[in-house]
C-alpha cells in the first residue's frame, strides 16, 4: 500500500516529499485507535446484489413541524419501505447557507434543524447509508472561508485564487454566474474561484492540507456509519489556468487515492462519483478499476423520458447497445429522478437537438422549467430541465392521455431491469407533483422537485388506495420486491440489448451462474404492441412466466398493453 500511495502522491504533488505526505495521509485516514486491512479488498461482484435498491432523499423531505425530520425519515423508512429499499442516500445533512445543503459550513456537525449524529447512526444501522462529500467547495459564510479572509493559517491557502486578467475562457462549468468573486482579505483584494455560485468557494487541492482535512472528514463519516461516499462535483476538483479545469489528471489521481484508502479500510466503503457529463467523460471515473466503485448512469433520465414522450425507444436502445458492461468490481447506479433536474449534458450526442427541444417544450407544457449554463466563449445552452419526474410523464408529444400512471411506472421499471443498482428519488416513489409554490417562494428552479411533504398529509394519501401516492408506492414496492428475488438482476449480470419493435425497450439478463434468464420487455408507447415469441429466443422445454403478472407465456405472440412491462423468466 505504501508504495502505491507514495506513487500517487508523487503524481499529485510532484514538488513535495511524497513519503512524508504518505505518512500524513495514513494518519489522517487511520488515526490512533483505528486499523486497516493487511491486504486490499479485491475487485469483485460481492459488494452488491439484486437485493440492493437505494432511496435518495433530503433529511427534511418529510416534516410535521414538531418532530425531528430525521426521526420522521427513520419512521417512514421502517413503516413504508422496509423490505423494499435497503440503501438510503441522505443528501447533505450538514449546516449550510445555500443550495439546499451543498454550501456546507461544517462537515463535522449534523444540521440541528434535522437532528444529530445519533439519528444518522440509527438509520445507518438498518440501511446502507450514503452521504455527500461536497469536496469541491464550501460555504463563503463558513469558518474556513472567514479564516481565509482574515489571513489565518492554514486556511489562508485553502481556496483557489485567480485574476480577472487570466484566460479563463476555456473553463467548463454548469452555471452562468461570474466565475470569479472579488473579496477583501487581510492581505488585500483577491479573486476567488466559484464554479457553482458566489456562496460556494472552491477549495484548492493544490495545497495538500486541504486533502488531509477532507480525509479526516471522511474518517469521521465512516465512523458515524456512512458506507457509500458520494463524491459531489468531483470532476471540477483541480484547476489549472488556461485549461477547461474539468477531469484533469490530478483529479483522477485524487479519486484513485481515495479508492486505495477505501480498499484497505476494514469497513466496506464504496465510492460513487457524481459527474453529470457526457458518457465517455463519465465512464472515465471507473479508471482502470482503480477509481470509483460506482458511477451514475446520467443519460438515463433524459433518454427514458424521451422514449415515453416520443413513443419510441430508438435513442435509448442505440445508447444501451453502445454501453460497455461495468468493469469487474464496478457498477452503474441507474435512476431517472434526483434532487437536481433532468440533466441535458448527458444527452449531448445521443438525442438530436430538435428532439431535445421538443422534449423541453413538452415538459414546459406540464409546468416544468429549464435552467441554462454558460458556454465557453459566451452564449448559453440548456443545462437541465426542472420538474418532478411524475409531472414530466403527464403528457407525450401527442398531449395528455389516460396512461399517465402506467407511463410513469414504466420509466421506473426500466431502471430496475438494467445492469446496475437502481436508485429512486423519494419524490418519484411518492408520485410528487411539481411544487410551483416553492419555486415562487424561493426563486429557484430546482425547488420544483424538492417538495417537503407534511407527514400527516402524506400518511393520509398513502393510506388512501385511490391516491397517486398510494398507487405508485404500492406498485413500485411490489416490483422492487420481485426484482430482489431474481438473480438475473444482479448489478453485474449479463445485459444484452434486444432488437425488437422500436416501441419496446427489451433486455436479456442472465444470472452470474447462468441458471436464470429474464427477458425484460417495456412498451414505451401508448399503443398495444405484439412481440413474436421467436424474436426473444425462449429456450425450448422450459416453462416461461411473466414475473410481474404471474402469466405463463405460450403461443406465438406476446401482447404488450400501452406502457406495460414484462419480466419473462425460466425460474419461478
Amino acid at each position: 500500500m505504501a508504495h502505491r500511495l507514495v506513487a500517487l502522491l508523487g503524481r499529485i504533488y510532484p514538488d513535495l516529499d511524497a513519503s512524508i505526505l504518505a505518512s500524513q495521509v495514513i494518519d489522517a485516514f487511520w488515526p490512533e485507535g483505528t486499523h486497516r486491512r493487511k491486504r486490499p479488498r479485491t475487485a469483485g461482484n460481492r459488494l452488491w446484489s439484486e437485493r440492493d435498491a437505494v432511496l435518495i432523499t433530503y433529511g427534511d423531505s418529510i416534516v410535521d413541524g414538531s418532530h425531528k425530520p430525521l426521526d420522521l425519515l427513520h419512521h417512514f423508512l421502517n413503516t413504508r419501505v422496509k423490505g423494499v429499499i435497503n440503501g438510503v442516500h441522505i443528501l447533505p445533512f450538514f449546516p449550510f447557507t445555500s443550495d439546499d445543503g451543498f454550501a456546507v459550513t461544517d462537515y463535522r456537525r449534523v444540521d440541528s434543524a434535522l437532528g444529530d449524529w445519533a439519528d444518522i447512526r440509527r438509520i445507518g444501522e438498518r440501511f446502507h447509508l450514503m452521504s455527500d462529500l461536497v469536496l469541491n467547495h464550501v460555504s463563503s459564510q463558513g469558518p474556513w472561508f472567514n479564516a481565509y479572509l482574515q489571513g489565518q493559517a492554514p486556511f489562508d491557502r485553502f481556496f483557489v485564487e485567480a485574476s480577472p486578467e487570466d484566460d479563463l475562457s476555456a473553463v467548463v462549468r454548469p452555471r452562468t454566474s461570474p466565475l470569479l468573486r472579488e473579496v477583501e482579505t487581510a492581505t488585500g483584494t483577491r479573486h476567488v474561484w466559484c464554479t457553482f455560485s458566489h456562496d460556494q468557494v472552491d477549495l484548492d487541492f493544490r495545497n495538500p492540507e486541504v486533502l488531509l482535512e477532507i480525509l479526516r472528514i471522511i474518517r469521521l463519516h465512516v465512523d458515524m456509519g456512512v458506507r457509500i461516499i458520494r463524491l459531489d462535483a468531483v470532476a471540477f476538483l483541480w484547476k489549472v489556468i488556461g485549461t477547461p479545469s474539468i477531469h484533469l489528471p490530478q483529479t483522477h489521481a485524487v479519486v484513485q487515492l481515495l479508492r486505495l484508502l477505501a480498499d484497505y479500510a476494514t469497513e466496506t466503503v464504496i465510492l460513487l462519483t457524481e459527474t453529470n457529463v457526457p458518457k465517455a467523460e463519465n465512464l472515465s471515473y471507473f479508471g482502470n478499476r482503480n477509481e470509483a466503485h460506482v458511477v451514475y448512469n446520467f443519460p438515463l433520465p433524459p433518454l427514458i423520458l424521451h422514449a415515453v414522450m416520443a413513443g419510441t425507444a430508438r435513442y435509448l436502445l442505440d445508447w444501451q447497445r453502445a454501453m460497455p458492461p461495468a468493469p469487474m468490481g464496478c457498477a452503474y447506479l441507474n435512476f431517472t429522478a434526483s434532487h437536481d433536474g433532468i440533466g441535458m449534458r448527458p444527452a449531448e450526442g445521443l438525442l438530436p437537438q430538435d428532439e431535445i427541444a421538443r422534449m423541453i417544450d413538452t415538459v414546459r407544457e406540464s409546468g416544468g422549467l429549464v435552467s441554462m449554463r454558460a458556454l465557453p466563449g459566451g452564449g448559453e445552452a440548456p443545462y437541465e430541465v426542472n420538474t418532478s419526474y411524475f409531472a414530466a410523464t403527464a403528457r407525450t408529444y401527442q398531449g395528455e392521455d389516460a396512461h399517465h400512471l402506467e407511463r410513469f411506472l414504466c420509466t421506473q421499471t426500466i431502471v430496475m431491469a438494467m445492469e446496475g443498482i437502481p436508485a429512486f428519488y423519494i419524490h418519484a416513489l411518492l408520485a410528487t407533483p411539481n411544487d410551483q409554490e416553492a419555486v415562487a417562494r424561493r426563486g429557484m428552479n430546482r425547488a420544483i422537485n424538492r417538495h417537503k411533504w407534511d407527514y400527516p398529509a402524506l400518511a393520509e394519501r398513502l393510506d388512501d388506495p385511490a391516491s397517486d401516492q398510494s398507487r405508485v408506492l404500492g406498485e413500485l414496492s411490489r416490483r422492487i420486491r420481485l426484482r430482489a428475488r431474481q438473480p438475473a438482476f444482479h448489478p453485474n449480470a449479463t445485459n444484452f440489448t434486444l432488437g425488437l419493435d422500436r416501441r419496446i425497450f427489451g433486455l436479456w439478463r442472465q444470472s452470474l451462474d447462468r441458471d436464470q434468464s429474464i427477458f425484460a420487455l417495456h412498451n414505451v408507447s401508448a399503443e398495444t404492441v405484439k412481440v413474436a415469441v421467436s424474436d426473444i429466443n425462449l429456450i425450448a422445454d422450459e416453462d416461461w412466466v411473466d414475473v410481474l403478472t404471474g402469466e405463463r407465456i405460450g403461443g406465438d405472440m406476446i401482447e404488450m398493453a400501452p406502457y406495460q412491462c414484462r419480466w419473462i423468466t425460466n425460474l419461478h
Side-chain angles (χ1 to χ4, degrees):
M1 174 189 168
H3 175 75
R4 292 172 61 190
L5 185 57
V6 167
L8 276 170
L9 290 168
R11 287 165 50 197
I12 301 169
Y13 304 106
D15 297 330
L16 300 178
D17 188 317
S19 296
I20 293 175
L21 192 51
S23 297
Q24 294 173 324
V25 165
I26 291 172
D27 289 343
F29 197 73
W30 287 289
E32 187 176 351
T34 59
H35 307 281
R36 66 179 185 267
R37 296 167 59 99
K38 292 183 179 179
R39 290 188 176 90
R41 191 171 281 104
T42 55
N45 51 33
R46 296 182 180 179
L47 290 176
W48 37 73
S49 77
E50 60 274 11
R51 295 182 296 277
D52 290 317
V54 177
L55 174 73
I56 306 166
T57 181
Y58 279 102
D60 60 354
S61 291
I62 301 172
V63 296
D64 68 358
S66 56
H67 296 88
K68 292 186 292 185
L70 287 174
D71 268 349
L72 298 179
L73 176 60
H74 183 260
H75 185 267
F76 172 81
L77 292 170
N78 283 289
T79 59
R80 300 291 183 175
V81 296
K82 186 177 181 180
V84 177
I85 296 290
N86 67 352
V88 181
H89 172 201
I90 306 178
L91 290 151
F93 47 76
F94 317 104
F96 70 98
T97 54
S98 65
D99 199 17
D100 284 345
F102 287 90
V104 178
T105 59
D106 189 345
Y107 295 92
R108 290 184 166 83
R109 288 195 300 119
V110 175
D111 185 352
S112 59
L114 301 177
D116 53 35
W117 278 116
D119 300 310
I120 294 294
R121 293 188 66 132
R122 187 162 58 248
I123 293 172
E125 287 169 359
R126 288 177 173 251
F127 299 88
H128 303 310
L129 181 60
M130 184 193 307
S131 75
D132 283 279
L133 183 64
V134 187
L135 76 171
N136 180 70
H137 50 263
V138 297
S139 169
S140 68
Q141 302 170 61
W144 289 10
F145 194 65
N146 283 331
Y148 161 81
L149 295 176
Q150 296 168 28
Q152 297 175 11
F155 302 102
D156 56 338
R157 296 176 51 245
F158 259 44
F159 298 92
V160 179
E161 297 179 349
S163 166
E165 305 304 316
D166 292 330
D167 181 6
L168 304 174
S169 60
V171 173
V172 172
R173 52 196 297 263
R175 298 292 186 272
T176 56
S177 56
L179 176 63
L180 301 183
R181 173 186 171 183
E182 181 178 306
V183 294
E184 295 299 326
T185 75
T187 55
T189 301
R190 296 288 185 270
H191 293 85
V192 291
W193 192 295
C194 301
T195 296
F196 290 90
S197 80
H198 282 187
D199 190 38
Q200 295 162 293
V201 188
D202 287 32
L203 292 166
D204 192 349
F205 279 84
R206 294 173 299 182
N207 175 5
E209 290 297 327
V210 173
L211 174 64
L212 294 173
E213 189 63 16
I214 291 295
L215 294 180
R216 296 182 192 105
I217 289 164
I218 295 176
R219 167 48 54 189
L220 170 66
H221 294 182
V222 170
D223 289 345
M224 291 299 176
V226 173
R227 291 297 177 264
I228 307 170
I229 297 174
R230 178 181 183 268
L231 302 179
D232 177 67
V234 66
F236 304 98
L237 181 143
W238 202 275
K239 285 84 177 174
V240 175
I241 303 294
T243 75
S245 293
I246 186 172
H247 314 311
L248 294 184
Q250 296 92 332
T251 295
H252 284 282
V254 169
V255 178
Q256 289 169 29
L257 184 147
L258 297 179
R259 173 64 179 265
L260 178 64
L261 300 179
D263 285 346
Y264 276 91
T266 56
E267 308 86 355
T268 301
V269 178
I270 292 174
L271 301 180
L272 167 66
T273 48
E274 187 265 330
T275 48
N276 194 350
V277 292
K279 183 183 81 172
E281 300 170 39
N282 187 36
L283 296 184
S284 72
Y285 285 87
F286 279 142
N288 185 24
R289 300 192 301 169
N290 61 348
E291 294 190 32
H293 294 89
V294 184
V295 303
Y296 283 91
N297 237 337
F298 276 112
L300 278 178
L303 287 176
I304 292 178
L305 182 60
H306 174 271
V308 296
M309 278 186 174
T312 174
R314 170 187 173 185
Y315 298 107
L316 180 61
L317 287 165
D318 288 347
W319 166 79
Q320 179 61 51
R321 288 191 185 97
M323 280 294 289
M328 179 65 74
C330 301
Y332 295 111
L333 190 75
N334 298 326
F335 72 111
T336 59
S338 75
H339 64 292
D340 289 337
I342 300 169
M344 289 292 104
R345 280 212 72 206
E348 292 174 9
L350 301 177
L351 287 174
Q353 285 302 315
D354 60 338
E355 290 294 327
I356 291 176
R358 194 173 183 187
M359 184 168 66
I360 290 174
D361 288 344
T362 305
V363 169
R364 279 179 164 145
E365 289 172 4
S366 296
L369 305 168
V370 180
S371 295
M372 309 298 287
R373 67 182 178 94
L375 296 174
E380 296 181 352
Y383 173 64
E384 66 182 19
V385 176
N386 301 109
T387 176
S388 83
Y389 217 82
F390 185 69
T393 57
R395 65 177 64 219
T396 69
Y397 287 173
Q398 280 67 49
E400 294 184 0
D401 57 25
H403 301 302
H404 183 195
L405 192 70
E406 292 79 10
R407 184 160 48 245
F408 176 72
L409 291 172
C410 179
T411 66
Q412 305 307 297
T413 308
I414 288 173
V415 162
M416 297 182 211
M418 301 178 67
E419 175 195 345
I421 302 165
F424 305 90
Y425 188 37
I426 191 169
H427 293 307
L429 279 184
L430 297 176
T432 306
N434 284 335
D435 192 338
Q436 303 285 4
E437 185 276 331
V439 175
R441 174 168 43 84
R442 303 183 59 196
M444 182 175 72
N445 283 0
R446 284 180 168 177
I448 200 170
N449 192 30
R450 297 178 180 179
H451 181 68
K452 297 182 192 299
W453 276 104
D454 175 70
Y455 201 20
L458 174 62
E460 184 177 344
R461 294 201 187 191
L462 291 177
D463 291 337
D464 175 6
S467 73
D468 288 338
Q469 285 65 46
S470 176
R471 295 168 71 193
V472 166
L473 180 60
E475 182 57 21
L476 288 181
S477 295
R478 186 183 78 87
R479 296 185 188 191
I480 295 169
R481 285 193 183 97
L482 287 171
R483 179 189 184 277
R485 300 201 292 267
Q486 315 306 321
F489 283 147
H490 185 285
N492 298 119
T494 296
N495 187 99
F496 181 81
T497 311
L498 300 175
L500 304 169
D501 186 301
R502 285 191 171 180
R503 292 168 292 181
I504 302 294
F505 180 68
L507 300 171
W508 171 54
R509 304 296 310 278
Q510 186 182 55
S511 59
L512 297 173
D513 62 9
R514 298 190 177 186
D515 283 346
Q516 184 185 36
S517 284
I518 291 181
F519 293 91
L521 311 179
H522 313 86
N523 183 358
V524 301
S525 78
E527 301 163 353
T528 297
V529 181
K530 292 185 178 181
V531 177
V533 169
S534 58
D535 286 345
I536 59 173
N537 300 324
L538 299 187
I539 301 169
D541 304 320
E542 299 228 18
D543 290 329
W544 293 89
V545 171
D546 180 354
V547 171
L548 294 177
T549 64
E551 177 187 348
R552 288 189 175 275
I553 302 300
D556 296 328
M557 304 297 292
I558 301 169
E559 187 170 292
M560 304 281 294
Y563 304 106
Q564 183 177 6
C565 303
R566 289 188 181 274
W567 292 344
I568 301 170
T569 182
N570 60 328
L571 288 187
H572 45 87

